[in-house]
Amino acid sequence: QVQLVESGGGLVQPGGSLRLSCAASGTIFSINDMGWYRQAPGKQRDLVATITSGGSTNYAGSVKGRFTISRDDAKNTVYLQMNSLKPEDTAVYYCNAWVATIRKTSNYWGQGTQVTVSS
């Protein structure tokens, strides 16, 4: 059984920063691509950023230059550093990962963490 647990969300003023963390736990052989997605009320879940096992990154255009995704494979953790936050960044942020166990590789989601950008 694999679990992804996010932390670090909260309320921040426009222009502020937050750092999200997502730790994977369980019987893990390796973790391939990891990523962050977000879902605002009444909208679909959209990609924010992804990072491969080799460290290659990809960002949504709306966050490029403001957000940075990184990972620590020793801790099975992915991070999202969010700077210059805007009200339109308000959403529930979800962690996603392709995790290989001894039996197979499967896709997992975290439970989500709320980020609210407001003055």
Side-chain angles (χ1 to χ4, degrees):
Q1 183 76 7
V2 174
Q3 286 188 319
L4 303 182
V5 178
E6 299 110 333
S7 60
L11 173 64
V12 63
Q13 292 187 341
S17 297
L18 281 176
R19 188 192 195 206
L20 305 183
S21 300
C22 171
S25 62
T27 307
I28 297 170
F29 180 72
S30 65
I31 302 179
N32 300 324
D33 291 2
M34 305 182 82
W36 291 94
Y37 293 73
R38 67 186 181 187
Q39 188 168 19
K43 296 188 176 182
Q44 67 181 17
R45 189 174 298 186
D46 291 327
L47 179 146
V48 175
T50 60
I51 184 167
T52 68
S53 57
S56 296
T57 59
N58 179 54
Y59 295 93
S62 59
V63 308
K64 199 171 292 185
R66 300 188 297 123
F67 291 9
T68 302
I69 189 170
S70 60
R71 60 191 288 169
D72 184 339
D73 290 333
K75 297 181 179 179
N76 289 335
T77 299
V78 62
Y79 305 97
L80 186 68
Q81 178 67 43
M82 305 186 293
N83 299 328
S84 303
L85 282 160
K86 304 175 181 180
E88 51 264 44
D89 294 317
T90 295
V92 178
Y93 283 70
Y94 296 90
C95 172
N96 180 270
W98 285 94
V99 180
T101 63
I102 291 177
R103 292 185 176 274
K104 61 180 180 178
T105 297
S106 301
N107 189 251
Y108 294 90
W109 290 93
Q111 82 286 356
T113 186
Q114 177 70 46
V115 171
T116 302
V117 184
S118 176
S119 55

